[in-house]
Amino acid sequence: MGKRKQRHDEELSAPEISQADALEMLTDDEAGSEVSSDDGQVDDFPELNGTDSDSESIDSDDIEGLSQEEEGEANESDSDSGSESDIPFSKRQLHPQSTTIISDITGHPKRVYPEIEPDYDSDSSTEEDPNRVGDVPMHWYDDLPHIGYDMNGKKVLRPARGDELDKFLATVEDPSSWTSAFDKNSQMDKPLTAEELDIIRRLHNHENPDANYDPYEPMVEFFTGKGKEEVMPLSAAPEPKRRWVPSKWEKKKIMKIVRAIPASTTSDSRTQEVYALWSDQPSSFAPPPLPAPKRPLPTNSESYNPPEEYLPTPEERKEWEKPQDYLPQKYSALRLVPGYDNFVKERFNRQLDLYLAPRIPTTVPKLPFSCFTSGHGRARCVSISHDGMWAVSGDEEGNVCLWEVNVGRAVASWKFDGKIGALAWCPNPETRYFVVGVEEALHFLIPPNVPVSPASLPPAPAKPSPVKWITPPSNSRSEDRPILTVQLLPSSGLVSQVAWHRKGDYVATTSSGGTQGGVWIHQVSRRHSQAPFRKIRGAVQAVLFHPLKPHLFVATQQYVRLYNLAEQKLLKTFTPGIKWISSIDVHPSGDHLIVGGYDRKLCCDKPYKVLRYHTRAIRSLQFHPTYPLFASSSDDWLPSKFSMGRDGLGVLQVRWNPKYPWLVSAGADGR
């Protein structure tokens, strides 16, 4: 092995020396002139020791130009490394020598290596022990005294941090503290470099974080100019056949549209699809009916060979009270199971049901309801608060009850001397009171536990009004008495309707008598009342404010007129075709109007439609404030648990709850 290696070293060294003797490396400057330091001789290379190729020694005679100090240092290094160079390379100690000790935990011997002590010029000599926790969320260490582990596996304790006062004092003492950022990994503030501060400044100014980026640099036109045009296409694939052959699918689509033109069945997909809401026949666009519920899967007790624990004992068979349609029975084989005993009887009863009791589908579902009973006369009117939590009702005997809708509990009640014709909550969400029309007066009532200061009440009017506004003195105010009373003219009659403006400052009332048609508009903030009409044809049945415009709807016996209150002129007259109008209502958008009459008709204006769903007189109508629904009440429609009112009257008024999917009604039976 040694001879072969020696021969290999000689073959490698021979050509290198011959090439060094034959070649002469010159720079660009030396190629044109002769070099004075070069006398034409070639420097001798040091000989290579073929016997020991792994070790090399430098002879002091071959080194020229060294000073005596350098020669001394070289001799000292040669003397120090002489002992090490004499040791063969295979026997040198390359790694630190380990020691064997007995482990205190396992009791077995283990090797221990000395700790590595880095030199001064090492990369880790001046570096602090970093937190080698890795890519781990630091909030895992919030409840621990350490924040991670170093390279040796030891815990890195959490550095002490001061309170807010210490942070403020640090910013005062150190002007460069604002240029530091908190490092979650080391749990301390580290200063930011100038490059990082420049990036933050650029991001704060909505600039590009790269300082070398030039947004106004000239555009490089790669494919413009002579010699820069693209000669080869981006794709060398051949043109597909579908690009120059007519499409069969498009031909079928066009022919289908052409054939549909004479029949006028073309439809534009961009237009909104319109559904026939008022058609007698059900629309074909309706969703399919729900499938019948599936029967539950058979259990172990229904098996022909059930387990023993499912079989009843003779005592249990005698005490069986039919909690289910069968008793579990056990058979050794399926062929021994007899036929169903009641098959013929049940099939016969089914045929009788189909023959004697045909099923007629009904459109009125069975809905749960709550019943509020005041125990007095007819519940003439009802109203819901703007938050949907309270309801107030009034009857013909002068009783007003305040109800909590969620519970159905009567919270408070008031008693008046006279018949109550109408009542309504104020729609202003900042106030909480309601108005009750008793005979020829309006009473403003506040629910209990609602504080009202004298400053919140409207001041006295400067100009006297024909309608008296009466305010009780502050020392005599109580929850049982109204805070404000409006006394109408003696000939006005019973107040039959109270309609609020959407802002809650104006309220319109209609009465059964009076020369002005019984219509009054009251402004609460000014305590002023006025009659908008000197004389009106016919008896006024109902009035309503437009929800968005300064318009007023006035319904007489056969007509509905729309007036502009700002310009004081008539805008439009509606003729619904009803002999005697009983009630009207306007959609919250102001685009739709519904009219109900005592002749059982219900009319809509857009689209015009006459509905005849009631068999008796219609008493009340109302649109839902958010959903596309409206409710109508009549003397014929009553829930099955209600009894018919006096004199054949039914539901006198209905009102939607603005927050919950509930409908509140006032019936002639007092509920």
Side-chain angles (χ1 to χ4, degrees):
M1 183 68 183
K3 294 180 179 181
R4 184 181 302 174
K5 186 174 183 181
Q6 182 177 1
R7 189 183 304 112
H8 180 68
D9 294 339
E10 292 176 357
E11 292 175 0
L12 292 176
S13 60
E16 293 179 359
I17 296 174
S18 61
Q19 291 178 4
D21 294 340
L23 298 177
E24 183 178 1
M25 303 297 296
L26 299 177
T27 61
D28 296 340
D29 298 336
E30 295 172 348
S33 62
E34 296 182 357
V35 182
S36 60
S37 62
D38 190 3
D39 54 357
Q41 297 181 0
V42 181
D43 295 337
D44 296 335
F45 286 88
E47 295 182 358
L48 299 177
N49 190 359
T51 59
D52 191 5
S53 61
D54 297 336
S55 63
E56 296 180 0
S57 61
I58 303 175
D59 194 1
S60 61
D61 297 337
D62 297 335
I63 302 176
E64 297 179 0
L66 293 176
S67 62
Q68 294 180 359
E69 296 178 0
E70 293 175 351
E71 289 179 359
E73 293 178 359
N75 293 332
E76 291 178 3
S77 62
D78 292 342
S79 62
D80 295 340
S81 62
S83 59
E84 184 178 355
S85 62
D86 296 339
I87 303 174
F89 180 78
S90 60
K91 297 182 179 180
R92 291 182 184 178
Q93 189 69 26
L94 300 179
H95 301 283
Q97 187 176 3
S98 62
T99 58
T100 304
I101 62 174
I102 302 300
S103 176
D104 297 336
I105 300 176
T106 61
H108 298 286
K110 67 175 184 179
R111 294 182 180 180
V112 178
Y113 293 91
E115 294 186 359
I116 300 176
E117 297 181 359
D119 299 333
Y120 179 76
D121 56 350
S122 176
D123 294 338
S124 60
S125 60
T126 59
E127 184 181 2
E128 298 180 359
D129 292 336
N131 187 6
R132 301 300 180 89
V133 72
D135 190 9
V136 173
M138 296 306 297
H139 64 84
W140 291 359
Y141 297 92
D142 290 346
D143 300 334
L144 300 177
H146 61 281
I147 60 175
Y149 301 90
D150 58 3
M151 189 171 62
N152 297 327
K154 296 181 180 180
K155 295 181 179 179
V156 179
L157 298 180
R158 186 185 303 276
R161 300 194 64 190
D163 54 0
E164 297 297 331
L165 181 59
D166 295 337
K167 294 180 181 179
F168 174 73
L169 294 177
T171 56
V172 174
E173 297 174 358
D174 187 8
S176 63
S177 60
W178 67 274
T179 60
S180 61
F182 181 73
D183 186 10
K184 293 184 179 179
N185 196 9
S186 60
Q187 295 292 319
M188 62 177 59
D189 295 334
K190 289 188 176 182
L192 299 176
T193 61
E195 292 79 5
E196 294 174 343
L197 292 175
D198 184 64
I199 292 175
I200 294 175
R201 182 189 62 79
R202 288 176 174 274
L203 292 177
H204 184 266
N205 296 335
H206 304 284
E207 298 178 1
N208 195 293
D210 189 5
N212 299 325
Y213 174 74
D214 184 12
Y216 305 105
E217 62 181 0
M219 183 182 64
V220 180
E221 298 179 353
F222 294 98
F223 308 107
T224 304
K226 186 176 181 180
K228 297 182 180 180
E229 300 87 355
E230 286 190 357
V231 180
M232 300 299 295
L234 298 179
S235 176
E239 285 287 333
K241 187 178 179 180
R242 63 177 179 271
R243 293 188 181 178
W244 47 274
V245 174
S247 175
K248 294 183 179 180
W249 181 87
E250 291 181 357
K251 180 181 178 182
K252 293 181 180 180
K253 188 70 175 179
I254 293 173
M255 292 305 299
K256 182 179 179 181
I257 297 175
V258 170
R259 295 190 186 97
I261 289 176
S264 299
T265 58
T266 57
S267 61
D268 190 359
S269 59
R270 295 173 297 178
T271 59
Q272 186 178 4
E273 191 171 1
V274 181
Y275 300 96
L277 296 178
W278 309 105
S279 61
D280 298 334
Q281 298 295 332
S283 177
S284 60
F285 300 102
L290 297 177
K294 297 182 180 180
R295 297 189 60 182
L297 298 176
T299 58
N300 294 338
S301 61
E302 300 182 46
S303 174
Y304 72 91
N305 190 9
E308 297 295 336
E309 59 268 16
Y310 288 95
L311 298 176
T313 60
E315 292 79 8
E316 293 176 349
R317 289 180 178 274
K318 294 180 181 179
E319 298 176 359
W320 180 53
E321 297 180 358
K322 292 186 178 181
Q324 51 189 4
D325 298 338
Y326 63 93
L327 274 176
Q329 298 181 7
K330 188 177 183 65
Y331 300 96
S332 58
L334 183 60
R335 65 178 182 274
L336 301 178
V337 177
Y340 184 48
D341 298 338
N342 299 329
F343 176 76
V344 177
K345 183 178 180 181
E346 290 184 359
R347 182 58 60 90
F348 178 72
N349 292 335
R350 173 64 175 168
Q351 297 295 332
L352 290 180
D353 292 342
L354 296 176
Y355 172 68
L356 299 176
R359 290 180 174 86
I360 300 177
T362 177
T363 58
V364 180
K366 295 181 180 180
L367 300 176
F369 68 95
S370 299
C371 183
F372 307 152
T373 304
S374 60
H376 304 289
R378 296 174 182 170
R380 173 66 65 176
C381 47
V382 66
S383 181
I384 310 295
S385 62
H386 55 82
D387 56 358
M389 300 298 297
W390 306 96
V392 60
S393 63
D395 55 19
E396 293 182 350
E397 296 183 3
N399 297 299
V400 176
C401 295
L402 179 65
W403 308 89
E404 187 176 0
V405 177
N406 291 336
V407 183
R409 177 177 61 93
V411 179
S413 61
W414 295 266
K415 177 65 177 177
F416 294 96
D417 297 334
K419 183 185 298 185
I420 296 177
L423 52 83
W425 280 88
C426 180
N428 189 0
E430 298 179 358
T431 60
R432 185 174 294 180
Y433 63 89
F434 56 91
V435 180
V436 181
V438 181
E439 294 296 341
E440 298 175 352
L442 297 176
H443 299 283
F444 291 77
L445 297 176
I446 294 181
N449 302 326
V450 178
V452 177
S453 60
S456 62
L457 296 176
K463 182 179 180 181
S465 175
V467 176
K468 296 181 179 180
W469 292 69
I470 304 173
T471 303
S474 58
N475 54 2
S476 63
R477 289 174 183 159
S478 63
E479 297 179 354
D480 298 336
R481 299 182 60 185
I483 61 171
L484 187 63
T485 301
V486 179
Q487 191 69 36
L488 302 178
L489 298 180
S491 60
S492 298
L494 177 65
V495 177
S496 59
Q497 185 196 13
V498 176
W500 280 95
H501 191 263
R502 68 180 186 278
K503 294 184 178 180
D505 190 19
Y506 293 90
V507 57
T509 59
T510 58
S511 304
S512 57
T515 57
Q516 295 87 2
V519 180
W520 287 88
I521 297 179
H522 314 275
Q523 187 177 3
V524 181
S525 60
R526 296 176 52 193
R527 295 192 189 181
H528 181 71
S529 302
Q530 61 179 347
F533 309 105
R534 295 181 181 179
K535 186 177 181 181
I536 190 170
R537 297 180 181 179
V540 178
Q541 303 297 319
V543 294
L544 277 178
F545 286 101
H546 195 280
L548 302 177
K549 300 178 182 179
H551 297 169
L552 181 68
F553 291 90
V554 179
T556 58
Q557 291 185 359
Q558 297 181 358
Y559 302 98
V560 178
R561 296 179 175 90
L562 178 61
Y563 294 92
N564 190 336
L565 298 178
E567 300 178 0
Q568 298 182 1
K569 66 178 182 179
L570 177 64
L571 297 180
K572 189 182 297 185
T573 301
F574 301 94
T575 306
I578 298 177
K579 295 181 180 179
W580 196 304
I581 296 175
S582 62
S583 57
I584 62 173
D585 194 24
V586 184
H587 193 266
S589 63
D591 298 335
H592 305 280
L593 176 69
I594 53 176
V595 183
Y598 293 111
D599 55 352
R600 303 169 297 176
K601 293 181 181 180
L602 192 152
C603 299
C604 305
D605 62 337
K606 292 180 181 180
Y608 179 77
K609 189 74 175 180
V610 178
L611 306 178
R612 295 180 176 87
Y613 291 146
H614 296 282
T615 58
R616 304 190 68 178
I618 297 177
R619 296 289 178 177
S620 176
L621 298 170
Q622 191 188 22
F623 276 106
H624 196 278
T626 56
Y627 293 101
L629 301 173
F630 69 86
S632 62
S633 63
S634 174
D635 294 337
D636 60 347
W637 185 82
L638 285 172
S640 59
K641 294 185 180 181
F642 279 74
S643 60
M644 182 63 68
R646 305 169 187 175
D647 301 333
L649 299 179
V651 180
L652 301 180
Q653 195 173 26
V654 288
R655 288 292 179 265
W656 289 101
N657 193 308
K659 298 295 182 181
Y660 302 98
W662 298 339
L663 182 67
V664 182
S665 63
D669 57 349
R671 293 185 285 183

